[in-house]
Amino acid sequence: MVNPFKAVINQINKDITTSKNKELNTQQKRKLFNQTKMYIFLQDFIEKMKPYLEDGEEIHAYLPMTNDGQNASVVGLGLLGMYHPESEEAKAYVKDFNDLRGNRILIFTDQRMIFTTIIEFLDQRTFFSYPYTTIKAITLKENKMNYFDWDDSFPPKRVALYTYTFDFESEDHIFSELLGQHDADILKRQLLEIPALQTILVTRKVYRKRRFDRVVNNPVLAYRLMYYFSIFAAITFLLILALGGFFHIGPAKQMFDFTTTPTIQMLLNRSFL
């Protein structure tokens, strides 16, 4: 592991080299300070997790999840991310990082996946364990969404945004999350490197033991329904406008009946005076 002192100095050197100014500005210093503080906290947090590992169990990787990025915040976030810290340790965490239930972490070991919300672990040492032997299939489905980028070019360029649906069922627990490209790369690497994960089926479909969960707790199906519903809503809206504009029927007919609007009617009345 790289010495933290050297890592911070190397980051400072990098910022100085790439910055136009000779010195770091206030915002850069604050950002670097917060990153260093978080790095120290996470090292301490990992040490607190280790006593809960089995004998000989080794950690292979960490997958961070937040509520301000590409994650869907489906797992463990709770109602509006609300939480009341009780322990002094948890209160200090909220004060330092201004986070309640937003920061979550999925830990890959050689035997299982461990999921926890940072503040809940600090408060109650609560976490969920998903042994690989209880997982029949893992869903990893790529989702593509196109949008126009107005910031970097004019006319705007069509840009593709990729997200990944990550889902599995472990006994009576369902884990479902939306990952960005970097997070998906972490997951893909573990699927290839951890022997126990190599034996699990990786599919684009969602596996559920119960038929009820295949419909109700199915993120892929929900994504498709939302996608087709948005298309249906757009077509319906355009159809209503067309009926109102060309045939003067339907809910939108008054939008195109200019003689009935107060302003137009007033002008028409004045023209005949």
Side-chain angles (χ1 to χ4, degrees):
M1 181 179 294
V2 179
N3 185 289
F5 177 74
K6 289 185 177 180
V8 173
I9 295 298
N10 290 337
Q11 183 62 43
I12 292 175
N13 289 333
K14 181 180 178 181
D15 290 338
I16 292 174
T17 303
T18 57
S19 176
K20 293 181 180 179
N21 301 321
K22 295 295 182 181
E23 297 181 356
L24 298 177
N25 58 38
T26 304
Q27 185 178 2
Q28 289 172 324
K29 289 179 181 178
R30 187 182 298 113
K31 180 181 178 182
L32 184 59
F33 173 75
N34 291 335
Q35 287 177 342
T36 305
K37 187 166 62 172
M38 178 59 78
Y39 179 82
I40 296 171
F41 167 79
L42 288 176
Q43 291 296 320
D44 184 59
F45 177 82
I46 291 169
E47 291 301 319
K48 288 182 172 65
M49 284 291 307
K50 287 183 178 179
Y52 297 92
L53 299 178
E54 302 292 338
D55 291 337
E57 187 176 10
E58 296 182 359
I59 295 176
H60 282 246
Y62 305 92
L63 180 60
M65 287 170 281
T66 63
N67 61 355
D68 58 353
Q70 292 178 318
N71 302 127
S73 303
V74 173
V75 181
L77 185 55
L79 180 61
L80 301 178
M82 297 175 66
Y83 186 85
H84 179 69
E86 299 176 358
S87 66
E88 293 301 320
E89 190 177 20
K91 291 177 181 178
Y93 169 77
V94 174
K95 182 179 178 181
D96 288 340
F97 302 106
N98 194 29
D99 173 66
L100 288 176
R101 299 190 65 190
N103 290 339
R104 297 152 290 145
I105 192 168
L106 186 67
I107 303 172
F108 294 90
T109 77
D110 55 348
Q111 301 176 23
R112 56 179 169 161
M113 283 181 273
I114 302 172
F115 172 80
T116 186
T117 302
I118 300 296
I119 196 169
E120 288 189 348
F121 182 84
L122 295 177
D123 237 351
Q124 306 169 11
R125 296 301 189 260
T126 303
F127 63 89
F128 297 92
S129 177
Y130 307 115
Y132 298 136
T133 54
T134 65
I135 301 174
K136 301 299 182 184
I138 291 177
T139 302
L140 184 59
K141 180 179 179 299
E142 182 184 88
N143 310 307
K144 181 181 178 182
M145 182 179 70
N146 294 317
Y147 68 97
F148 290 99
D149 186 3
W150 291 82
D151 295 331
D152 296 334
S153 63
F154 186 82
K157 269 199 228 174
R158 192 178 181 87
V159 181
L161 175 65
Y162 293 93
T163 59
Y164 295 81
T165 301
F166 174 39
D167 181 281
F168 63 84
E169 184 180 67
S170 173
E171 296 179 334
D172 294 330
H173 296 274
I174 293 174
F175 185 99
S176 187
E177 190 56 271
L178 195 66
L179 305 180
Q181 184 66 60
H182 179 70
D183 295 342
D185 291 340
I186 295 176
L187 172 60
K188 291 176 182 178
R189 188 161 61 248
Q190 307 320 306
L191 294 174
L192 293 174
E193 294 180 355
I194 298 177
L197 275 176
Q198 294 174 4
T199 62
I200 299 176
L201 173 67
V202 179
T203 177
R204 291 170 55 89
K205 298 181 180 179
V206 172
Y207 170 82
R208 294 287 184 265
K209 186 177 181 180
R210 298 188 304 171
R211 291 183 179 178
F212 176 79
D213 289 329
R214 294 176 194 172
V215 178
V216 177
N217 296 313
N218 190 328
V220 174
L221 179 61
Y223 178 85
R224 287 177 180 172
L225 289 176
M226 237 166 45
Y227 175 76
Y228 289 116
F229 176 78
S230 63
I231 294 177
F232 174 77
I235 293 175
T236 303
F237 178 72
L238 293 175
L239 182 61
I240 291 173
L241 290 180
L243 290 174
F246 293 103
F247 301 102
H248 297 284
I249 59 175
K253 65 178 181 180
Q254 291 185 352
M255 294 175 57
F256 299 93
D257 190 1
F258 299 107
T259 60
T260 61
T261 60
T263 304
I264 299 299
Q265 188 64 47
M266 182 181 65
L267 293 174
L268 289 174
N269 291 337
R270 286 185 178 180
S271 64
F272 291 106
L273 291 178

